[in-house]
Amino acid sequence: MAHSSVQGEGTRPEVRPAKGAAGPERPGRRGRRRGRRKHRVLRWSATTLAVLILGTAGAGYLYYQHLNGNIRKGERSSGDSKARKTEANAAGQTPLNILLIGSDSRNSDENVKLGGSRDNRGEPPRGDVQMLIHLSADRKSAAMVSIPRDTRVDIPECTDPDTGKTYPATNDIINISLARGGAGCTLATWQNLTGVYIDHWMTIDFAGVVRMADAIGGVDVCVRQNVWDRPTAAVPGGSGLKMKAGTHKVEGEQALQWLRTRHAWGSDLMRAKAQHMYLNSMMRTLTKQNVFTDTPRLMDLAEAATKSLKVSEEIGTVKKLYDLGTQLRSVPTDRITSVTMPNVVDPLNTNHVVPDTRNADKLWEMLRDDVPLDDKGKASDAKKTARAQATKAPSAPDDRIGVLVQNATATATLGPVSGRAGVLAQELVEKGFTQASKDATAGLSEERTVVRYPSADLQGDAQRVAKSLGIPLSSVKKSTDVSGVTVVVGSDWRTGNAYPKQTEPKAGQLPANSDAINGSDTTQCMPVYGVYQW
């Protein structure tokens, strides 16, 4: 079995005894057929899978039906969201986005033991760890982007696919979205905030983290001072993490403590940095172990992964997870960049944060346009392709083109600009689009202005309207959500009658407050807040 593979290669050649050799040493035909048949079964059943916690997944089949039975699945999106996929580049490739959610569920004896308070048992879980994995269209770079759990955002209306209960839209911290319709609601919340289309989600609870950490065999982490994350007279709780200054290999429950520690690092924002350090170290560890050719290690990892993860239904088989894993593990660690959403203190609650609009929007734009977060690559040509597309002739003169203008200028921190749709509808009328009118629909929110059209025969009309307002052709999109040419005025155009000229982000030009870490950086070491040093 040393040479087993998905293709079934590696059959051991038959060694025949010399002529005249003793009979008992040579198997008969029936025994030979039985041995070959058994070998074929083993070759095909002992293929392998490894899925990496909170960020990567890896290769192969392993006892296919058994592992498929381990996998739990759920609905991809259960909330109101209209994010659209990034257009394909010239090679026909599109980025891949996966939302990873660490649940604080205490709905089992194992999770209660690991996670603390029994008083919370039975309550809906919250998503205390939320991280987007972005894999570039060319599969040469990747990003891990965290949003702190206490970030106040708009959470859309969501319907729980298991109970059928509908939760109204609300404005609250992002970690409660998991309790308002499951992972599909958290996905919809992320999409509305970022404008990034998210292909899949994965969730893992306390017990799953421990199982995965044990299967990996430990991950190196570093602290600058002795740390003990324990209750104090002023602050209750704590993860229980206790270790001396320096680098240590953590696994099992100690790995969970590292990922959950918040007080000892000084803030929830620093917890995200510690999680990035752990994941980067884990990927380097797996690469060094050459785990994908180590059958016993793969068996342990595959068993732990399929028991620990719940995934969106469209990737809910071993084969699909394998295909996903082969793409993720192809990215070298020095092309992986970990960042935290730029944020500022919430003016309504100093214990919370809100997106730093200008810098966060720049980060979301880089993800939407597939611009590498490191400086070793170049931006995708998807936007260039869209900009260079042939302009179609409109189907009618300007004064015969019907145009609806919607006000979607609201953000998580700013209300909509009053009368914005009317102002731009009037601007279009003055430019000759006399059938332009405003839409009175309230509560819309879009990161970027877009012109939508429902069918190919109206593409030229939409392009003509966009050109008249200075909106780039890359923002003209076909959509089944509209019945005619519709200008959706986003939060990027809150003032003025001409669309503001956009400065396209370049590879590696991240906002200064995104706390970026490169995946190959082995020098990272967490500082410990004074109260929790010992």
Side-chain angles (χ1 to χ4, degrees), residues 13-36:
E14 181 179 356
V15 179
R16 297 179 179 275
K19 186 175 180 180
E25 295 296 319
R26 180 177 182 179
R29 290 188 178 183
R30 181 174 300 177
R32 215 165 37 239
R33 283 199 303 269
R34 216 169 22 237
R36 289 175 179 171

Side-chain angles (χ1 to χ4, degrees), residues 405-477:
V405 183
Q406 294 179 333
N407 184 350
T409 55
T411 71
T413 56
L414 299 172
V417 178
S418 179
R420 193 74 180 123
V423 168
L424 291 176
Q426 182 59 38
E427 178 70 12
L428 283 168
V429 169
E430 293 175 5
K431 289 179 177 292
F433 296 89
T434 56
Q435 295 192 38
S437 62
K438 67 177 181 179
D439 182 359
T441 304
L444 300 177
S445 179
E446 291 277 352
E447 292 287 331
R448 288 198 294 184
T449 297
V450 65
V451 180
R452 294 183 176 132
Y453 63 93
S455 54
D457 60 308
L458 293 180
Q459 181 178 358
D461 296 8
Q463 291 176 335
R464 174 76 186 112
V465 170
K467 184 178 179 181
S468 73
L469 293 172
I471 300 171
L473 288 185
S474 59
S475 295
V476 178
K477 310 284 187 182

Side-chain angles (χ1 to χ4, degrees), residues 167-191:
Y167 296 86
T170 188
N171 182 266
D172 210 327
I173 57 175
I174 197 167
N175 80 328
I176 74 162
S177 60
L178 188 64
R180 299 173 62 85
C185 186
T186 302
L187 179 144
T189 301
W190 270 74
Q191 288 194 159

Side-chain angles (χ1 to χ4, degrees), residues 26-161:
R26 180 177 182 179
R29 290 188 178 183
R30 181 174 300 177
R32 215 165 37 239
R33 283 199 303 269
R34 216 169 22 237
R36 289 175 179 171
R37 192 159 52 241
K38 181 178 180 182
H39 199 159
R40 283 198 302 269
V41 171
L42 287 173
R43 286 204 313 271
W44 284 100
S45 63
T47 51
T48 53
L49 164 76
V51 179
L52 314 182
I53 174 181
L54 298 179
T56 62
Y61 286 94
L62 178 65
Y63 305 121
Y64 188 83
Q65 294 300 330
H66 166 68
L67 293 181
N68 270 343
N70 286 344
I71 299 171
R72 295 168 295 140
K73 300 179 283 290
E75 190 174 289
R76 189 193 75 86
S77 178
S78 56
D80 182 17
S81 176
K82 295 180 174 61
R84 287 165 175 77
K85 280 181 174 286
T86 300
E87 294 182 33
N89 61 19
Q93 304 163 316
T94 56
L96 180 67
N97 295 297
I98 306 163
L99 181 62
L100 304 166
I101 305 169
S103 161
D104 73 349
S105 172
R106 293 172 173 85
N107 294 331
S108 71
D109 291 340
E110 193 174 8
N111 280 328
V112 167
K113 180 181 178 181
L114 293 168
S117 176
R118 296 178 181 274
D119 295 338
N120 298 118
R121 183 158 186 166
E123 293 183 3
R126 294 161 300 183
D128 278 358
V129 179
Q130 298 184 24
M131 192 180 300
L132 182 70
I133 303 301
H134 172 85
L135 186 60
S136 66
D138 61 11
R139 303 304 189 257
K140 292 181 179 179
S141 68
M144 295 193 297
V145 183
S146 291
I147 293 181
R149 69 168 193 172
D150 290 333
T151 303
R152 182 168 60 85
V153 298
D154 289 326
I155 300 173
E157 178 182 291
C158 294
T159 300
D160 190 314

Side-chain angles (χ1 to χ4, degrees), residues 301-507:
L301 204 53
E303 193 73 30
T306 54
K307 285 182 177 178
S308 301
L309 295 168
K310 183 176 180 180
V311 302
S312 50
E313 57 195 358
E314 73 287 345
I315 53 169
T317 68
V318 172
K319 182 182 184 305
K320 290 176 180 177
L321 287 174
Y322 163 72
D323 292 341
L324 178 63
T326 57
Q327 296 180 66
L328 289 166
R329 71 186 180 93
S330 66
V331 181
T333 56
D334 67 348
R335 293 300 313 279
I336 298 172
T337 306
S338 304
V339 299
T340 299
M341 177 197 73
N343 58 84
V344 294
V345 174
D346 184 354
L348 302 182
N349 186 333
T350 55
N351 292 319
H352 299 161
V353 298
V354 292
D356 174 1
T357 303
R358 180 180 177 184
N359 287 321
D361 285 353
K362 180 179 180 180
L363 176 60
W364 306 146
E365 184 179 6
M366 293 179 78
L367 294 176
R368 288 192 300 263
D369 292 344
D370 198 28
V371 179
L373 300 195
D374 65 357
D375 59 3
K376 298 180 178 65
K378 61 181 181 179
S380 166
D381 58 3
K383 198 169 184 180
K384 189 193 312 179
T385 301
R387 192 165 51 242
Q389 67 184 335
T391 302
K392 290 194 174 184
S395 65
D398 291 355
D399 62 358
R400 299 285 302 279
I401 296 176
V403 186
L404 189 66
V405 183
Q406 294 179 333
N407 184 350
T409 55
T411 71
T413 56
L414 299 172
V417 178
S418 179
R420 193 74 180 123
V423 168
L424 291 176
Q426 182 59 38
E427 178 70 12
L428 283 168
V429 169
E430 293 175 5
K431 289 179 177 292
F433 296 89
T434 56
Q435 295 192 38
S437 62
K438 67 177 181 179
D439 182 359
T441 304
L444 300 177
S445 179
E446 291 277 352
E447 292 287 331
R448 288 198 294 184
T449 297
V450 65
V451 180
R452 294 183 176 132
Y453 63 93
S455 54
D457 60 308
L458 293 180
Q459 181 178 358
D461 296 8
Q463 291 176 335
R464 174 76 186 112
V465 170
K467 184 178 179 181
S468 73
L469 293 172
I471 300 171
L473 288 185
S474 59
S475 295
V476 178
K477 310 284 187 182
K478 185 177 179 181
S479 171
T480 57
D481 293 331
V482 296
S483 57
V485 176
T486 304
V487 178
V488 184
V489 186
S491 60
D492 61 343
W493 193 12
R494 292 175 64 89
T495 61
N497 290 359
Y499 187 66
K501 185 177 180 180
Q502 303 295 301
T503 302
E504 296 183 8
K506 296 181 180 179

